[in-house]
Amino acid sequence: MELNELTGKAEAILFASGEPVALDRIAQVLGVRTYVIEETVAGLQKKYNTPESGVHLLLLGNTAQFCTNPDYIQPVREALDLKRNTPLSQAAMEVLAVVAYNQPVTKAFVEQVRGVDCSGVIGSLVQKGLLEERGRLELPGRPLLYGTTENFLRCFQLSSIDKLPPPPAVGEEEPEEESEDPDGAERYGFLEQTTLL
């Protein structure tokens, strides 16, 4: 199969799906090795992931998915009459940060780090598909373990959890001046939440 034909077929599969597609599944369907599809997807990212492109190709672990260029989300919302997602609260961002950097963790661990009850926030983040249950800890009461989801990676445009920026050093002081980041996204190294279309 010629390279252009292979690229076109992989592009068509990703475009038609609308959901993340496993690279090894594309390789299986097209009868090539997975590394060939990885190279093909890297080429598609160079083609699409430019500032002027309307769509970007995200690599999410061993899957790939087309999404809207975040710079162009506003006209898309207006044209499709989409409501803006409610931004995450400071508490939600803090819980996400604790879980993302320490997963899998229990609710008690998150509460110990934050110093406040987190039941409602964790429940809300599970409902939004940003956190998920990861089994139970083998301790009395068998508490639930939580971790981040693939949707979390998509929303924060991370290819894998290993791509999280390093956490602030222990004892690192917060700047005194007024924050220009009311969501706390920059404080925790996360990008602004993006809606995929």
Side-chain angles (χ1 to χ4, degrees), residues 160-189:
S160 75
I161 206 68
D162 299 330
K163 299 296 183 184
L164 279 170
V170 175
E172 186 177 291
E173 290 186 16
E174 292 291 333
E176 291 292 325
E177 63 269 8
E178 193 68 31
S179 172
E180 294 180 13
D181 181 29
D183 292 345
E186 190 176 322
R187 178 177 171 197
Y188 297 102

PDB file of all heavy atoms in Angstrom, residues 160-189:
ATOM      1  N   SER A 160      -0.624  11.512  27.465  1.00  0.00           N
ATOM      2  CA  SER A 160      -0.647  10.501  28.515  1.00  0.00           C
ATOM      3  C   SER A 160      -0.444  11.207  29.855  1.00  0.00           C
ATOM      4  O   SER A 160      -0.041  12.372  29.899  1.00  0.00           O
ATOM      5  CB  SER A 160       0.457   9.456  28.309  1.00  0.00           C
ATOM      6  OG  SER A 160       1.706   9.984  28.668  1.00  0.00           O
ATOM      7  N   ILE A 161      -0.696  10.490  30.926  1.00  0.00           N
ATOM      8  CA  ILE A 161      -0.557  11.072  32.259  1.00  0.00           C
ATOM      9  C   ILE A 161       0.904  11.429  32.534  1.00  0.00           C
ATOM     10  O   ILE A 161       1.212  12.298  33.349  1.00  0.00           O
ATOM     11  CB  ILE A 161      -1.138  10.120  33.336  1.00  0.00           C
ATOM     12  CG1 ILE A 161      -1.588  10.923  34.570  1.00  0.00           C
ATOM     13  CG2 ILE A 161      -0.178   9.035  33.701  1.00  0.00           C
ATOM     14  CD1 ILE A 161      -2.759  11.810  34.354  1.00  0.00           C
ATOM     15  N   ASP A 162       1.836  10.772  31.821  1.00  0.00           N
ATOM     16  CA  ASP A 162       3.264  11.069  31.979  1.00  0.00           C
ATOM     17  C   ASP A 162       3.616  12.463  31.460  1.00  0.00           C
ATOM     18  O   ASP A 162       4.697  12.977  31.754  1.00  0.00           O
ATOM     19  CB  ASP A 162       4.113  10.037  31.226  1.00  0.00           C
ATOM     20  CG  ASP A 162       3.893   8.632  31.751  1.00  0.00           C
ATOM     21  OD1 ASP A 162       3.601   8.498  32.952  1.00  0.00           O
ATOM     22  OD2 ASP A 162       4.015   7.673  30.962  1.00  0.00           O
ATOM     23  N   LYS A 163       2.731  13.064  30.680  1.00  0.00           N
ATOM     24  CA  LYS A 163       2.992  14.390  30.104  1.00  0.00           C
ATOM     25  C   LYS A 163       2.575  15.530  31.031  1.00  0.00           C
ATOM     26  O   LYS A 163       2.678  16.699  30.675  1.00  0.00           O
ATOM     27  CB  LYS A 163       2.269  14.543  28.759  1.00  0.00           C
ATOM     28  CG  LYS A 163       2.697  13.547  27.712  1.00  0.00           C
ATOM     29  CD  LYS A 163       4.141  13.728  27.335  1.00  0.00           C
ATOM     30  CE  LYS A 163       4.536  12.761  26.224  1.00  0.00           C
ATOM     31  NZ  LYS A 163       5.950  12.845  25.888  1.00  0.00           N
ATOM     32  N   LEU A 164       2.077  15.194  32.227  1.00  0.00           N
ATOM     33  CA  LEU A 164       1.760  16.247  33.189  1.00  0.00           C
ATOM     34  C   LEU A 164       3.032  17.021  33.510  1.00  0.00           C
ATOM     35  O   LEU A 164       4.107  16.430  33.638  1.00  0.00           O
ATOM     36  CB  LEU A 164       1.231  15.632  34.498  1.00  0.00           C
ATOM     37  CG  LEU A 164      -0.227  15.217  34.547  1.00  0.00           C
ATOM     38  CD1 LEU A 164      -0.492  14.424  35.817  1.00  0.00           C
ATOM     39  CD2 LEU A 164      -1.141  16.426  34.479  1.00  0.00           C
ATOM     40  N   PRO A 165       2.933  18.344  33.650  1.00  0.00           N
ATOM     41  CA  PRO A 165       4.124  19.098  34.044  1.00  0.00           C
ATOM     42  C   PRO A 165       4.541  18.705  35.451  1.00  0.00           C
ATOM     43  O   PRO A 165       3.709  18.232  36.227  1.00  0.00           O
ATOM     44  CB  PRO A 165       3.653  20.556  33.994  1.00  0.00           C
ATOM     45  CG  PRO A 165       2.164  20.484  34.113  1.00  0.00           C
ATOM     46  CD  PRO A 165       1.746  19.177  33.512  1.00  0.00           C
ATOM     47  N   PRO A 166       5.818  18.865  35.800  1.00  0.00           N
ATOM     48  CA  PRO A 166       6.235  18.494  37.159  1.00  0.00           C
ATOM     49  C   PRO A 166       5.497  19.330  38.189  1.00  0.00           C
ATOM     50  O   PRO A 166       5.253  20.513  37.968  1.00  0.00           O
ATOM     51  CB  PRO A 166       7.738  18.778  37.170  1.00  0.00           C
ATOM     52  CG  PRO A 166       7.979  19.689  36.019  1.00  0.00           C
ATOM     53  CD  PRO A 166       6.917  19.429  35.009  1.00  0.00           C
ATOM     54  N   PRO A 167       5.107  18.703  39.309  1.00  0.00           N
ATOM     55  CA  PRO A 167       4.407  19.467  40.354  1.00  0.00           C
ATOM     56  C   PRO A 167       5.358  20.462  41.001  1.00  0.00           C
ATOM     57  O   PRO A 167       6.576  20.288  40.955  1.00  0.00           O
ATOM     58  CB  PRO A 167       3.963  18.396  41.356  1.00  0.00           C
ATOM     59  CG  PRO A 167       4.907  17.261  41.137  1.00  0.00           C
ATOM     60  CD  PRO A 167       5.311  17.306  39.692  1.00  0.00           C
ATOM     61  N   PRO A 168       4.808  21.518  41.622  1.00  0.00           N
ATOM     62  CA  PRO A 168       5.664  22.486  42.315  1.00  0.00           C
ATOM     63  C   PRO A 168       6.472  21.787  43.403  1.00  0.00           C
ATOM     64  O   PRO A 168       6.000  20.823  44.012  1.00  0.00           O
ATOM     65  CB  PRO A 168       4.672  23.473  42.935  1.00  0.00           C
ATOM     66  CG  PRO A 168       3.380  23.253  42.225  1.00  0.00           C
ATOM     67  CD  PRO A 168       3.392  21.842  41.730  1.00  0.00           C
ATOM     68  N   ALA A 169       7.693  22.251  43.625  1.00  0.00           N
ATOM     69  CA  ALA A 169       8.546  21.657  44.650  1.00  0.00           C
ATOM     70  C   ALA A 169       7.909  21.853  46.024  1.00  0.00           C
ATOM     71  O   ALA A 169       7.223  22.838  46.268  1.00  0.00           O
ATOM     72  CB  ALA A 169       9.930  22.299  44.624  1.00  0.00           C
ATOM     73  N   VAL A 170       8.113  20.887  46.923  1.00  0.00           N
ATOM     74  CA  VAL A 170       7.567  20.973  48.271  1.00  0.00           C
ATOM     75  C   VAL A 170       8.146  22.206  48.956  1.00  0.00           C
ATOM     76  O   VAL A 170       9.348  22.456  48.909  1.00  0.00           O
ATOM     77  CB  VAL A 170       7.915  19.705  49.089  1.00  0.00           C
ATOM     78  CG1 VAL A 170       7.442  19.845  50.519  1.00  0.00           C
ATOM     79  CG2 VAL A 170       7.308  18.483  48.437  1.00  0.00           C
ATOM     80  N   GLY A 171       7.263  22.987  49.566  1.00  0.00           N
ATOM     81  CA  GLY A 171       7.706  24.195  50.252  1.00  0.00           C
ATOM     82  C   GLY A 171       7.831  25.397  49.344  1.00  0.00           C
ATOM     83  O   GLY A 171       8.183  26.480  49.800  1.00  0.00           O
ATOM     84  N   GLU A 172       7.554  25.222  48.043  1.00  0.00           N
ATOM     85  CA  GLU A 172       7.636  26.349  47.107  1.00  0.00           C
ATOM     86  C   GLU A 172       6.537  27.343  47.436  1.00  0.00           C
ATOM     87  O   GLU A 172       5.378  26.977  47.570  1.00  0.00           O
ATOM     88  CB  GLU A 172       7.460  25.820  45.677  1.00  0.00           C
ATOM     89  CG  GLU A 172       7.674  26.872  44.611  1.00  0.00           C
ATOM     90  CD  GLU A 172       7.557  26.255  43.230  1.00  0.00           C
ATOM     91  OE1 GLU A 172       8.452  25.468  42.853  1.00  0.00           O
ATOM     92  OE2 GLU A 172       6.570  26.537  42.549  1.00  0.00           O
ATOM     93  N   GLU A 173       6.904  28.594  47.603  1.00  0.00           N
ATOM     94  CA  GLU A 173       5.936  29.602  48.007  1.00  0.00           C
ATOM     95  C   GLU A 173       5.103  30.063  46.827  1.00  0.00           C
ATOM     96  O   GLU A 173       5.594  30.171  45.706  1.00  0.00           O
ATOM     97  CB  GLU A 173       6.661  30.810  48.617  1.00  0.00           C
ATOM     98  CG  GLU A 173       7.275  30.494  49.955  1.00  0.00           C
ATOM     99  CD  GLU A 173       7.850  31.733  50.614  1.00  0.00           C
ATOM    100  OE1 GLU A 173       7.513  32.855  50.190  1.00  0.00           O
ATOM    101  OE2 GLU A 173       8.644  31.570  51.550  1.00  0.00           O
ATOM    102  N   GLU A 174       3.825  30.320  47.106  1.00  0.00           N
ATOM    103  CA  GLU A 174       2.932  30.890  46.094  1.00  0.00           C
ATOM    104  C   GLU A 174       3.243  32.371  45.959  1.00  0.00           C
ATOM    105  O   GLU A 174       3.555  33.041  46.943  1.00  0.00           O
ATOM    106  CB  GLU A 174       1.461  30.720  46.523  1.00  0.00           C
ATOM    107  CG  GLU A 174       0.986  29.287  46.536  1.00  0.00           C
ATOM    108  CD  GLU A 174       0.873  28.702  45.144  1.00  0.00           C
ATOM    109  OE1 GLU A 174       0.657  29.475  44.194  1.00  0.00           O
ATOM    110  OE2 GLU A 174       0.999  27.479  45.015  1.00  0.00           O
ATOM    111  N   PRO A 175       3.149  32.937  44.736  1.00  0.00           N
ATOM    112  CA  PRO A 175       3.394  34.368  44.588  1.00  0.00           C
ATOM    113  C   PRO A 175       2.364  35.179  45.363  1.00  0.00           C
ATOM    114  O   PRO A 175       1.210  34.794  45.486  1.00  0.00           O
ATOM    115  CB  PRO A 175       3.256  34.596  43.074  1.00  0.00           C
ATOM    116  CG  PRO A 175       2.567  33.397  42.535  1.00  0.00           C
ATOM    117  CD  PRO A 175       2.833  32.281  43.493  1.00  0.00           C
ATOM    118  N   GLU A 176       2.801  36.311  45.900  1.00  0.00           N
ATOM    119  CA  GLU A 176       1.943  37.156  46.733  1.00  0.00           C
ATOM    120  C   GLU A 176       0.912  37.934  45.932  1.00  0.00           C
ATOM    121  O   GLU A 176      -0.166  38.217  46.384  1.00  0.00           O
ATOM    122  CB  GLU A 176       2.817  38.163  47.517  1.00  0.00           C
ATOM    123  CG  GLU A 176       3.685  37.513  48.582  1.00  0.00           C
ATOM    124  CD  GLU A 176       2.876  36.954  49.727  1.00  0.00           C
ATOM    125  OE1 GLU A 176       1.848  37.545  50.080  1.00  0.00           O
ATOM    126  OE2 GLU A 176       3.260  35.910  50.277  1.00  0.00           O
ATOM    127  N   GLU A 177       1.282  38.336  44.674  1.00  0.00           N
ATOM    128  CA  GLU A 177       0.390  39.201  43.922  1.00  0.00           C
ATOM    129  C   GLU A 177      -0.909  38.500  43.559  1.00  0.00           C
ATOM    130  O   GLU A 177      -0.996  37.281  43.567  1.00  0.00           O
ATOM    131  CB  GLU A 177       1.075  39.748  42.648  1.00  0.00           C
ATOM    132  CG  GLU A 177       1.481  38.689  41.641  1.00  0.00           C
ATOM    133  CD  GLU A 177       2.907  38.198  41.874  1.00  0.00           C
ATOM    134  OE1 GLU A 177       3.524  38.561  42.883  1.00  0.00           O
ATOM    135  OE2 GLU A 177       3.386  37.430  41.045  1.00  0.00           O
ATOM    136  N   GLU A 178      -1.902  39.303  43.184  1.00  0.00           N
ATOM    137  CA  GLU A 178      -3.235  38.800  42.824  1.00  0.00           C
ATOM    138  C   GLU A 178      -3.121  37.864  41.630  1.00  0.00           C
ATOM    139  O   GLU A 178      -2.462  38.163  40.639  1.00  0.00           O
ATOM    140  CB  GLU A 178      -4.130  39.986  42.458  1.00  0.00           C
ATOM    141  CG  GLU A 178      -5.610  39.648  42.358  1.00  0.00           C
ATOM    142  CD  GLU A 178      -6.233  39.297  43.702  1.00  0.00           C
ATOM    143  OE1 GLU A 178      -5.791  39.829  44.731  1.00  0.00           O
ATOM    144  OE2 GLU A 178      -7.158  38.481  43.700  1.00  0.00           O
ATOM    145  N   SER A 179      -3.752  36.720  41.677  1.00  0.00           N
ATOM    146  CA  SER A 179      -3.694  35.765  40.583  1.00  0.00           C
ATOM    147  C   SER A 179      -4.552  36.228  39.414  1.00  0.00           C
ATOM    148  O   SER A 179      -5.645  36.728  39.594  1.00  0.00           O
ATOM    149  CB  SER A 179      -4.187  34.391  41.068  1.00  0.00           C
ATOM    150  OG  SER A 179      -4.320  33.510  39.992  1.00  0.00           O
ATOM    151  N   GLU A 180      -4.022  36.026  38.200  1.00  0.00           N
ATOM    152  CA  GLU A 180      -4.807  36.316  36.998  1.00  0.00           C
ATOM    153  C   GLU A 180      -5.452  35.039  36.483  1.00  0.00           C
ATOM    154  O   GLU A 180      -5.957  34.992  35.382  1.00  0.00           O
ATOM    155  CB  GLU A 180      -3.905  36.921  35.918  1.00  0.00           C
ATOM    156  CG  GLU A 180      -3.372  38.290  36.291  1.00  0.00           C
ATOM    157  CD  GLU A 180      -2.477  38.854  35.204  1.00  0.00           C
ATOM    158  OE1 GLU A 180      -2.489  38.285  34.092  1.00  0.00           O
ATOM    159  OE2 GLU A 180      -1.801  39.845  35.453  1.00  0.00           O
ATOM    160  N   ASP A 181      -5.373  33.974  37.272  1.00  0.00           N
ATOM    161  CA  ASP A 181      -5.881  32.669  36.853  1.00  0.00           C
ATOM    162  C   ASP A 181      -6.941  32.207  37.838  1.00  0.00           C
ATOM    163  O   ASP A 181      -6.671  31.393  38.712  1.00  0.00           O
ATOM    164  CB  ASP A 181      -4.696  31.680  36.808  1.00  0.00           C
ATOM    165  CG  ASP A 181      -5.116  30.297  36.352  1.00  0.00           C
ATOM    166  OD1 ASP A 181      -6.078  30.198  35.580  1.00  0.00           O
ATOM    167  OD2 ASP A 181      -4.481  29.321  36.778  1.00  0.00           O
ATOM    168  N   PRO A 182      -8.182  32.723  37.718  1.00  0.00           N
ATOM    169  CA  PRO A 182      -9.209  32.417  38.708  1.00  0.00           C
ATOM    170  C   PRO A 182      -9.577  30.942  38.785  1.00  0.00           C
ATOM    171  O   PRO A 182     -10.016  30.463  39.801  1.00  0.00           O
ATOM    172  CB  PRO A 182     -10.404  33.250  38.236  1.00  0.00           C
ATOM    173  CG  PRO A 182     -10.160  33.505  36.790  1.00  0.00           C
ATOM    174  CD  PRO A 182      -8.677  33.573  36.631  1.00  0.00           C
ATOM    175  N   ASP A 183      -9.390  30.180  37.695  1.00  0.00           N
ATOM    176  CA  ASP A 183      -9.724  28.756  37.722  1.00  0.00           C
ATOM    177  C   ASP A 183      -8.648  27.935  38.413  1.00  0.00           C
ATOM    178  O   ASP A 183      -8.860  26.775  38.731  1.00  0.00           O
ATOM    179  CB  ASP A 183      -9.888  28.206  36.289  1.00  0.00           C
ATOM    180  CG  ASP A 183     -11.107  28.763  35.603  1.00  0.00           C
ATOM    181  OD1 ASP A 183     -11.963  29.330  36.306  1.00  0.00           O
ATOM    182  OD2 ASP A 183     -11.205  28.634  34.377  1.00  0.00           O
ATOM    183  N   GLY A 184      -7.460  28.523  38.599  1.00  0.00           N
ATOM    184  CA  GLY A 184      -6.360  27.761  39.189  1.00  0.00           C
ATOM    185  C   GLY A 184      -5.714  26.814  38.207  1.00  0.00           C
ATOM    186  O   GLY A 184      -4.903  25.989  38.561  1.00  0.00           O
ATOM    187  N   ALA A 185      -6.073  26.919  36.910  1.00  0.00           N
ATOM    188  CA  ALA A 185      -5.551  25.981  35.920  1.00  0.00           C
ATOM    189  C   ALA A 185      -4.036  26.104  35.777  1.00  0.00           C
ATOM    190  O   ALA A 185      -3.328  25.113  35.751  1.00  0.00           O
ATOM    191  CB  ALA A 185      -6.222  26.221  34.569  1.00  0.00           C
ATOM    192  N   GLU A 186      -3.548  27.358  35.713  1.00  0.00           N
ATOM    193  CA  GLU A 186      -2.114  27.545  35.530  1.00  0.00           C
ATOM    194  C   GLU A 186      -1.355  27.077  36.751  1.00  0.00           C
ATOM    195  O   GLU A 186      -0.294  26.477  36.657  1.00  0.00           O
ATOM    196  CB  GLU A 186      -1.839  29.028  35.265  1.00  0.00           C
ATOM    197  CG  GLU A 186      -0.409  29.299  34.825  1.00  0.00           C
ATOM    198  CD  GLU A 186      -0.216  30.747  34.477  1.00  0.00           C
ATOM    199  OE1 GLU A 186      -1.131  31.342  33.890  1.00  0.00           O
ATOM    200  OE2 GLU A 186       0.850  31.280  34.832  1.00  0.00           O
ATOM    201  N   ARG A 187      -1.927  27.308  37.931  1.00  0.00           N
ATOM    202  CA  ARG A 187      -1.284  26.919  39.183  1.00  0.00           C
ATOM    203  C   ARG A 187      -0.991  25.434  39.212  1.00  0.00           C
ATOM    204  O   ARG A 187       0.006  24.987  39.757  1.00  0.00           O
ATOM    205  CB  ARG A 187      -2.200  27.302  40.335  1.00  0.00           C
ATOM    206  CG  ARG A 187      -1.680  26.926  41.702  1.00  0.00           C
ATOM    207  CD  ARG A 187      -2.638  27.423  42.753  1.00  0.00           C
ATOM    208  NE  ARG A 187      -2.294  26.911  44.037  1.00  0.00           N
ATOM    209  CZ  ARG A 187      -3.116  26.912  45.066  1.00  0.00           C
ATOM    210  NH1 ARG A 187      -4.307  27.429  44.948  1.00  0.00           N
ATOM    211  NH2 ARG A 187      -2.746  26.420  46.220  1.00  0.00           N
ATOM    212  N   TYR A 188      -1.870  24.639  38.607  1.00  0.00           N
ATOM    213  CA  TYR A 188      -1.683  23.189  38.629  1.00  0.00           C
ATOM    214  C   TYR A 188      -1.133  22.652  37.319  1.00  0.00           C
ATOM    215  O   TYR A 188      -1.149  21.458  37.082  1.00  0.00           O
ATOM    216  CB  TYR A 188      -3.005  22.507  38.999  1.00  0.00           C
ATOM    217  CG  TYR A 188      -3.410  22.917  40.379  1.00  0.00           C
ATOM    218  CD1 TYR A 188      -4.390  23.865  40.583  1.00  0.00           C
ATOM    219  CD2 TYR A 188      -2.744  22.424  41.484  1.00  0.00           C
ATOM    220  CE1 TYR A 188      -4.725  24.286  41.856  1.00  0.00           C
ATOM    221  CE2 TYR A 188      -3.048  22.842  42.750  1.00  0.00           C
ATOM    222  CZ  TYR A 188      -4.048  23.774  42.931  1.00  0.00           C
ATOM    223  OH  TYR A 188      -4.362  24.191  44.183  1.00  0.00           O
ATOM    224  N   GLY A 189      -0.673  23.537  36.448  1.00  0.00           N
ATOM    225  CA  GLY A 189      -0.017  23.086  35.237  1.00  0.00           C
ATOM    226  C   GLY A 189      -0.963  22.564  34.176  1.00  0.00           C
ATOM    227  O   GLY A 189      -0.534  21.959  33.206  1.00  0.00           O
TER     228      GLY A 189
END
